[in-house]
Amino acid sequence: MLEQEDFLIKSLSQLETVGADYPGKRVLITADQSAELLISLLSQKKIANPDVLIVINPYSEDEERNQALAEKLAKLTMPILDIQSPDGHPASLSTAEQRRSLAVTLETPNYRQSQLLLNLDNESAWQNCLNTIKGFAARMSTDY
């Protein structure tokens, strides 16, 4: 796990340097176990906050880390779009309601959870996902 964390920290730091030359908002899109890892790194302030965070079916196979995911996500301060697919990993499904309710309880600004079918046999599923992401990011760039 530490190797993966180090790799992500170094990679995202390099992107920070490259991105400094380009104006605009930074949108970080992550899914599955990588989403949990990035949420953890963001909560520990090991990587710079993006302007908008998109997480798709976030989970960890480690039960303790999976249960901590909702609280870590709810405490982040950037706009967050949390996309949960009904056919997502069971560990992600198990925390979906907790992620949503904690964000509301902690009054997390600009948090939204969307339910989207993302199964690969549906041709429009991922296009709908991209449209949802574009709409959320566009709205946050004017509101935020």
Side-chain angles (χ1 to χ4, degrees), residues 4-20 26-30 34-35 37-39 41-42 46-50 53:
Q4 194 175 19
E5 282 184 18
D6 289 343
F7 176 78
L8 280 171
I9 292 168
K10 288 176 186 172
S11 297
L12 291 171
S13 294
Q14 289 174 349
L15 286 175
E16 274 294 310
T17 304
V18 170
R26 292 177 334 139
V27 178
L28 179 58
I29 301 172
T30 182
S34 296
L37 179 56
L38 284 169
I39 290 165
L41 293 175
L42 286 165
K46 289 186 175 182
I47 57 175
N49 284 350
L53 176 65

Side-chain angles (χ1 to χ4, degrees), residues 27 34 37 48 52 82 95 100-101 121 125-127 130 134 137:
V27 178
S34 296
L37 179 56
V52 176
D82 180 352
T95 63
R100 188 192 62 72
S101 63
D121 60 352
W126 285 98
Q127 187 58 50
L130 289 174
K134 286 179 190 176

Side-chain angles (χ1 to χ4, degrees), residues 33-86:
Q33 290 186 66
S34 296
E36 185 278 328
L37 179 56
L38 284 169
I39 290 165
S40 182
L41 293 175
L42 286 165
S43 70
Q44 296 172 52
K45 304 205 181 305
K46 289 186 175 182
I47 57 175
N49 284 350
D51 295 302
V52 176
L53 176 65
I54 312 297
V55 295
I56 303 170
N57 297 327
Y59 76 94
S60 174
E61 289 186 349
D62 177 279
E63 183 63 29
E64 194 173 307
R65 287 178 67 103
N66 200 52
Q67 291 305 310
L69 178 127
E71 188 172 346
K72 288 178 184 177
L73 187 64
K75 290 182 177 179
L76 296 177
T77 58
M78 77 285 300
I80 299 166
L81 175 59
D82 180 352
I83 298 173
Q84 181 63 56
S85 177

Side-chain angles (χ1 to χ4, degrees), residues 54 81 127-140:
I54 312 297
L81 175 59
Q127 187 58 50
N128 291 341
C129 184
L130 289 174
N131 291 341
T132 300
I133 291 169
K134 286 179 190 176
F136 183 80
R139 191 176 81 245
M140 289 302 112

